[in-house]
């Protein structure tokens, strides 16, 4: 058996030499648009570290050196000059009715649950119970953060566990329920139908850089399809500053056979000011993330984004953004200058993307759905909605974000009033999409 080496960024000739030395073959499956120079490898299958028999092939795609015109994104996007920064804070008001939201044709939206306290993230159990992280939001007059996980089963709500430390990410894996606090990952054994933890949380990971600027305390987690690793997001401490190595990254931890992380964190990608939503694209199995970019450069800077998380990539923060664009508040960084990865899909600046899921076929397609929490650093409100990003059969985005679910904004231009702010997304067992509203304390269901 031979171990597949890392080939991303290599030329065809360099990759061939490495594979021949391992007794493996190289198969080139064509070219694709990429920020990498023409001829460099941008995709490989299987992943580095996979064991293959001698003589088997590793498939790669090469960079065409051009930019995909269907995305409306270029290698060095033309962006507006730095503008005046405006701090505009939303104000929650009661919604006129429970059916004030509008959704794309062919879908319906209904209220699933209300009366929650800052519901942020969701995980759905095998029996359909919704496990909800009730944590913290920046809003005056709501009292102390509940810092708990609650279970919604039918019309019944119970507290699974409380006393957590700014919990956010939540997932089921290997008969355990995992939750990411701001500084640790904990878990409990879980059996179908269980609605309350029957023992204290087991801490399986500690020492994570904690808290951060405003909402950057959020730590999201996701498990690889093959169960070999756990992905974890670590946001920045400040808006734009040179910080410790793990800040502004997505890291991975190897897992033992029982699902426990072990060893040091491995940085998968850097330069992501605040990565939040994580999801695996169903066509390709590749990891994607939404990222909240920096503030205080004006209404239109810097665009937030949705991107495939390419191993070893640097997305620029804090020195650069979208390739060669330099943040004037930081010195140049020769080590990454000219090497910054450009994300696939740009989202409106300051729209604050949080939740991310991919469709599972049918009328959902295999498209990406992104919850935009909404702006606070812009003269006119943007976001406060869920958008849909179309993907093709190859698992590639083929167009800009499209409106999907909206109505939380009373008046973007003339009022600070909002009816809520969408945050987390999850698929219910019946195939409907669940959407948390962390300001209004609700969960909506889209069918």
């Amino acid at each position: 058996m031979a171990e597949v080496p890392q080939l991303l960024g290599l030329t065809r000739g360099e990759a061939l030499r490495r594979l021949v030395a391992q007794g493996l073959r190289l198969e080139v499956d064509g070219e694709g648009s990429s920020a990498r120079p023409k001829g460099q490898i941008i995709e490989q299958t299987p992943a580095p570290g996979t064991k293959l028999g001698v003589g088997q092939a590793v498939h790669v795609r090469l960079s065409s050196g051009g930019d995909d015109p269907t995305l409306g994104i270029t290698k060095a996007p033309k962006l507006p000059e730095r503008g005046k920064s405006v701090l505009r804070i939303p104000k929650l008001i009661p919604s006129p009715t429970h059916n004030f939201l509008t959704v794309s044709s062919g879908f319906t939206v209904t209220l699933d649950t209300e009366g929650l306290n800052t519901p942020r993230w969701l995980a759905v159990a095998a029996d359909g119970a919704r496990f909800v992280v009730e944590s913290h939001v920046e809003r005056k007059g709501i009292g102390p953060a509940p810092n708990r996980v609650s279970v919604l089963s039918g019309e019944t709500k119970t507290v699974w566990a409380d006393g957590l430390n700014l919990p956010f990410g939540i997932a089921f894996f290997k008969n355990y329920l995992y939750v990411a606090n701001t500084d640790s990952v904990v878990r409990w054994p879980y059996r179908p139908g269980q609605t309350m933890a029957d023992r204290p949380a087991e801490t399986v990971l500690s020492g994570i850089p904690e808290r951060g600027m405003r909402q950057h305390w959020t730590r999201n987690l996701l498990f690889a399809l093959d169960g070999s690793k756990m992905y974890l997001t670590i946001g920045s401490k400040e808006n734009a500053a040179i910080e410790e190595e793990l800040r502004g990254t997505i890291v991975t931890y190897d897992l033992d056979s029982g699902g426990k992380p072990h060893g040091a964190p491995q940085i998968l990608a850097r330069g992501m000011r605040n990565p939040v939503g994580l999801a695996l694209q169903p066509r390709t199995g590749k990891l994607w993330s939404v990222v909240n970019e920096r503030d205080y450069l004006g209404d239109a800077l810097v665009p937030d984004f949705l991107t495939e998380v390419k191993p070893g990539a640097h997305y620029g923060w804090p020195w650069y953004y979208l390739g060669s664009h330099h943040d004037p508040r930081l010195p140049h960084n020769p080590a990454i200058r000219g090497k910054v990865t450009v994300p696939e899909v740009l989202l409106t600046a300051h729209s604050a993307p949080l939740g991310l899921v991919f469709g599972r076929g049918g009328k959902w397609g295999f498209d990406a759905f992104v919850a935009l929490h909404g702006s606070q650093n812009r003269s006119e409100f943007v976001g406060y909605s869920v958008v849909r990003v179309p993907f093709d059969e190859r698992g590639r985005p083929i167009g800009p974000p499209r409106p999907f679910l909206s109505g939380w904004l009373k008046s973007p231009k003339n009022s600070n009033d909002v009816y809520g702010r969408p945050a987390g997304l999850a698929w219910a067992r019946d195939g409907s999409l669940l959407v948390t509203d962390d300001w209004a304390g609700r969960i909506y269901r889209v069918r």
Side-chain angles (χ1 to χ4, degrees), residues 63-124:
S63 173
S64 63
D67 303 301
D68 189 340
T70 65
L71 301 185
I73 301 174
T74 62
K75 184 175 180 181
K78 184 177 180 180
L79 294 172
E81 297 295 324
R82 179 178 179 179
K84 180 181 179 181
S85 183
V86 176
L87 189 63
R88 186 176 171 199
I89 306 299
K91 176 186 176 183
L92 180 69
I93 62 171
S95 60
T97 63
H98 288 333
N99 59 351
F100 65 98
L101 296 176
T102 58
V103 69
S104 294
S105 177
F107 297 86
T108 60
V109 56
T110 57
L111 179 66
D112 179 87
T113 308
E114 60 183 336
L116 302 172
N117 188 343
T118 63
R120 302 302 307 266
W121 234 234
L122 285 165
V124 179

Side-chain angles (χ1 to χ4, degrees), residues 67-379:
D67 303 301
D68 189 340
T70 65
L71 301 185
I73 301 174
T74 62
K75 184 175 180 181
K78 184 177 180 180
L79 294 172
E81 297 295 324
R82 179 178 179 179
K84 180 181 179 181
S85 183
V86 176
L87 189 63
R88 186 176 171 199
I89 306 299
K91 176 186 176 183
L92 180 69
I93 62 171
S95 60
T97 63
H98 288 333
N99 59 351
F100 65 98
L101 296 176
T102 58
V103 69
S104 294
S105 177
F107 297 86
T108 60
V109 56
T110 57
L111 179 66
D112 179 87
T113 308
E114 60 183 336
L116 302 172
N117 188 343
T118 63
R120 302 302 307 266
W121 234 234
L122 285 165
V124 179
D127 62 355
R130 290 93 71 212
F131 281 65
V132 185
V133 174
E134 295 177 287
S135 194
H136 168 71
V137 296
E138 284 194 316
R139 185 166 68 81
K140 293 181 179 179
I142 63 170
N147 288 326
R148 67 187 177 221
V149 174
S150 295
V151 184
L152 307 174
S153 182
E155 301 299 317
T156 303
K157 175 187 174 184
T158 58
V159 174
W160 173 269
D162 56 14
L164 304 174
N165 184 14
L166 293 174
F168 189 77
I170 181 169
F172 290 96
F173 182 67
K174 285 187 177 290
N175 299 318
Y176 285 92
L177 176 67
Y178 290 74
V179 169
N181 289 310
T182 188
D183 61 349
S184 66
V185 175
V186 299
R187 71 178 186 179
W188 301 263
Y190 169 77
R191 62 183 182 276
Q194 186 179 358
T195 58
M196 296 179 64
D198 56 11
R199 66 189 69 184
E202 175 192 9
T203 300
V204 296
L205 181 63
S206 58
I208 302 168
E210 60 183 299
R211 297 184 180 268
M213 179 188 180
R214 297 202 306 271
Q215 300 294 324
H216 298 191
W217 52 266
T218 55
R219 303 289 172 262
N220 195 14
L221 55 79
L222 181 71
F223 293 92
L225 288 175
D226 64 3
S228 65
K229 66 185 66 172
M230 180 183 74
Y231 303 105
L232 185 75
T233 65
I234 302 176
S236 68
K237 188 183 299 182
E238 304 294 343
N239 177 53
I242 300 172
E243 299 180 3
E244 60 194 279
E245 185 180 34
L246 292 183
R247 290 286 184 178
T249 66
I250 295 175
V251 301
T252 66
Y253 286 87
D254 292 331
L255 301 176
D256 64 20
S257 59
K260 278 189 178 183
H262 64 88
Q266 304 162 53
I267 297 178
L268 181 66
R270 306 171 188 265
M272 310 172 97
R273 174 178 172 263
N274 190 28
V276 188
L278 295 174
L280 298 171
Q281 213 290 330
R283 289 292 195 189
T284 65
K286 299 291 182 66
L287 178 70
W288 286 70
S289 179
V290 288
V291 176
N292 288 233
E293 256 290 356
R294 67 206 80 189
D295 293 331
Y296 311 127
L297 291 179
D299 270 8
L301 291 178
V302 171
D304 297 327
F305 59 84
L306 164 68
T307 189
E308 181 187 319
V309 183
K310 301 173 179 65
H314 199 303
Y315 291 86
W317 182 88
W319 300 276
Y320 304 97
Y321 53 90
L322 299 180
S324 61
H325 298 281
H326 176 237
D327 190 322
R329 298 166 296 191
L330 277 294
H332 279 284
N333 183 345
I336 67 167
R337 191 173 185 177
K339 302 176 183 177
V340 173
T341 299
V342 178
E344 283 81 356
V345 180
L346 300 188
L347 303 168
T348 305
H350 315 301
S351 56
L354 296 185
L356 169 66
V357 295
F358 281 98
R360 299 175 173 182
K363 64 180 180 180
W364 302 97
F366 295 94
D367 297 345
F369 294 82
V370 180
L372 304 178
H373 201 229
S375 64
Q376 295 190 160
N377 183 224
R378 193 179 175 114
S379 58

